Amino acid sequence: MTLSTLIIGVAIVAAILSAVIHFLKDHENVNFHNLPLSFLQNFVGVLFLFSGAVKAIDPLGTAFKMEQYFAEFETMFNGTWFSFISGIFPVFAQYALAFSVLMIVFEIALGFMVLIGHRKKFTAWAFLLLIIFFTFLTGFTFLTGYVPEGVNFFDFGGWGSYVSTNMKVTDCGCFGDFLVLEPRTSFLKDVFLLIPGILFIVFNGKLHEVFAPKMRMILTSVVTVLTLIFCYYNYGMNLPIADFRPFSNGTDVRTKKQAEIDAANAVEVSGYRITNTKTNKVVEIPVASYLTDIKNYPAEEGWDKETLEQIKTEPAIKGTKLSEFTIQGESAVTYVDVVIPDAPNDTITGYLANDLVADFGDTTGFKIVNSYQEVEEGDIEASLMADPNYSFMIVAYKLEKASKTAFKDKINALHKGAEGDGLNFYAVTASADEVTESFRHDVQAPYVFHSADDILLKTMIRSAPGIILWKDGKIVQKWHYKKLPSYEAIKAKYMK
């Protein structure tokens, strides 16, 4: 879905609601004045309900996005006249999940209040203030594209040309992972929504009202409570009821990752972009005439070669976190000495066991005369995704916040069952080594913890810990630790 199709869909629903309300305008519980304003009221209400709903499906995703914003604000204010503010953001980050749920519940309740015309004056002002807040966030996100690495946001003289990789927060999360918008698009969307925000205040008395005042209060309270319960279910009791991220159940991670990498490698350089550090003027030079044209932009006139960047074609497949799927750590690599059927007098020594089938296909007649393992440090995701058997991955992005009880009562038992059947078992975290070792001792974990990027792990699964069942590079099933079945139940249902 694109933003355009979403807007069209919301507009259609708003038009239908406006027609129904206009038809019922003479009803005693319907107060209707103006059709265009009623349409705008319904459009905004439906948009807010949808936006809040897709975030309510994944409250942890919004919390993670808030953590990113808090980290950026801390860096932005640190070292400035407002450095006294920076210390508050790490505190806010500790309560990011509470802020996330509060914001989602407020957005949905406010959208519903706009829709039915409940407490019109309060609702109009609340809507305008929330849009101003969203505009600030999306505007900040977009503008950081002009701030080069190492330059503070408030150092306006150091701003350069817009470069998307300058942004630490790459999207605002307005529609969660369901619809990821470019920062500039998100910003313009919120600027547009300021218009109905102002109109609702100016023409407050002309907003439509549906139902009696007492019923509006009851319905708003019910929506608020149900939203709160729904949010908690989607992180506190289970995984989100819908997974819009690239690591969803059934995903062939190995194939899709390679396709994204191949697409990224296939992009072509169509030109170069150079910025004048004195005037901030940006010039694009076609790649065919670069060697000739670059002489027209001398360094003494402000054309700094360090600002030179490539202009590339768009990849055929847009990259996701799948491309960044990398796990580091120790792994036992099996080597074998084999005798090839066609050359019985020759022995290949030190051959990677996993490569036999890949290189020779049919290995009938191969004789393994020696087999041994060596523990190696490096990326282990390749062996995980090439494993033809089932394997388990335990993801705990921050062991400091992971449930120790879940590890003691469930994860260790799962490992025992998997080990008994000779299956590989991976535990992955983004915590520091000393934290990991202390945690392993506390939960008596008989397995090794590998390391990976924090954001990657949060993208993979919304649970701490979360459990993923793999087979041949594909995600078979994911579980929240509170919903994890026994190993025997998993084996009977999913490992066939």
Side-chain angles (χ1 to χ4, degrees), residues 59-90:
L60 273 176
T62 301
F64 295 150
K65 187 65 62 178
M66 286 185 166
E67 288 178 355
Q68 288 182 276
Y69 273 115
F70 291 145
E72 284 306 301
F73 291 153
E74 179 187 7
T75 301
M76 181 177 69
F77 286 108
N78 197 21
T80 68
W81 288 98
F82 303 98
S83 58
F84 63 91
I85 300 177
S86 63
I88 196 66
F89 294 109

Side-chain angles (χ1 to χ4, degrees), residues 392 410-423 425 486-488 491 495:
F392 288 91
K410 295 186 175 184
I411 306 301
N412 291 351
L414 181 68
H415 172 262
K416 185 177 181 180
E419 186 181 41
D421 283 344
L423 303 182
F425 195 91
S486 66
Y487 175 74
E488 291 73 19
K491 185 176 180 179
M495 300 164 62

Side-chain angles (χ1 to χ4, degrees), residues 88-388:
I88 196 66
F89 294 109
V91 178
F92 284 171
Q94 297 178 16
Y95 300 97
L97 181 57
F99 283 128
S100 168
V101 173
L102 181 64
M103 188 188 73
I104 292 169
V105 171
F106 180 66
E107 184 177 0
I108 291 179
L110 185 61
F112 185 75
M113 291 168 70
V114 171
L115 205 62
I116 64 175
H118 180 53
R119 298 189 63 184
K120 295 187 295 184
K121 190 172 182 179
F122 167 83
T123 300
W125 277 106
F127 174 77
L128 179 61
L129 292 175
L130 186 60
I131 289 299
I132 291 174
F133 173 70
F134 286 162
T135 304
F136 166 76
L137 287 183
T138 56
F140 168 78
T141 305
F142 169 56
L143 291 176
T144 54
Y146 292 95
V147 185
E149 184 70 30
V151 177
N152 188 278
F153 184 85
F154 292 117
D155 184 11
F156 303 119
W159 286 25
S161 57
Y162 179 82
V163 180
S164 60
T165 53
N166 287 340
M167 293 183 294
K168 303 299 186 296
V169 183
T170 54
D171 69 273
C172 67
C174 302
F175 298 100
D177 289 298
F178 176 80
L179 177 60
V180 179
L181 301 178
E182 294 292 330
R184 182 174 181 273
T185 303
S186 297
F187 175 59
L188 293 177
K189 168 186 67 69
D190 289 332
V191 170
F192 169 78
L193 288 176
L194 288 172
I195 298 173
I198 295 171
L199 291 176
F200 290 165
I201 291 176
V202 174
F203 300 103
N204 182 263
K206 293 183 180 291
L207 297 177
H208 69 239
E209 294 175 319
V210 182
F211 306 118
K214 186 175 181 179
M215 179 57 68
R216 290 199 297 269
M217 174 64 78
I218 293 173
L219 291 175
T220 300
S221 300
V222 171
V223 168
T224 302
V225 172
L226 290 180
T227 302
L228 187 61
I229 295 172
F230 184 64
C231 283
Y232 179 71
Y233 176 82
N234 283 308
Y235 76 87
M237 297 301 297
N238 205 347
L239 296 179
I241 61 170
D243 193 347
F244 305 123
R245 287 160 285 119
F247 293 92
S248 56
N249 288 336
T251 300
D252 188 338
V253 175
R254 178 172 57 181
T255 301
K256 288 193 173 184
K257 176 183 177 180
Q258 190 58 51
E260 289 184 9
I261 293 174
D262 291 343
N265 292 335
V267 299
E268 297 179 355
V269 178
S270 59
Y272 295 88
R273 185 182 292 112
I274 188 170
T275 303
N276 190 301
T277 56
K278 295 180 179 178
T279 64
N280 284 331
K281 182 179 179 181
V282 180
V283 172
E284 295 184 359
I285 307 172
V287 67
S289 59
Y290 170 73
L291 293 178
T292 302
D293 293 352
I294 192 62
K295 299 176 183 178
N296 299 324
Y297 304 97
E300 56 269 20
E301 293 182 11
W303 300 103
D304 190 347
K305 298 298 189 296
E306 291 186 2
T307 67
L308 198 67
E309 58 178 314
Q310 295 178 335
I311 303 173
K312 297 181 179 180
T313 58
E314 289 295 321
I317 301 175
K318 189 175 182 179
T320 66
K321 277 293 178 182
L322 291 173
S323 304
E324 303 173 21
F325 180 54
T326 303
I327 302 171
Q328 300 87 36
E330 294 181 349
S331 61
V333 180
T334 302
Y335 292 92
V336 294
D337 299 341
V338 296
V339 177
I340 302 177
D342 295 337
N345 295 322
D346 295 332
T347 301
I348 300 179
T349 60
Y351 207 93
L352 280 172
N354 288 342
D355 288 347
L356 280 175
V357 176
D359 289 350
F360 294 100
D362 184 8
T363 57
T364 303
F366 278 67
K367 181 181 179 182
I368 298 177
V369 295
N370 187 30
S371 176
Y372 55 95
Q373 285 189 337
E374 291 185 5
V375 176
E376 295 186 352
E377 184 80 22
D379 299 341
I380 66 170
E381 75 281 352
S383 59
L384 162 69
M385 292 192 289
D387 193 344

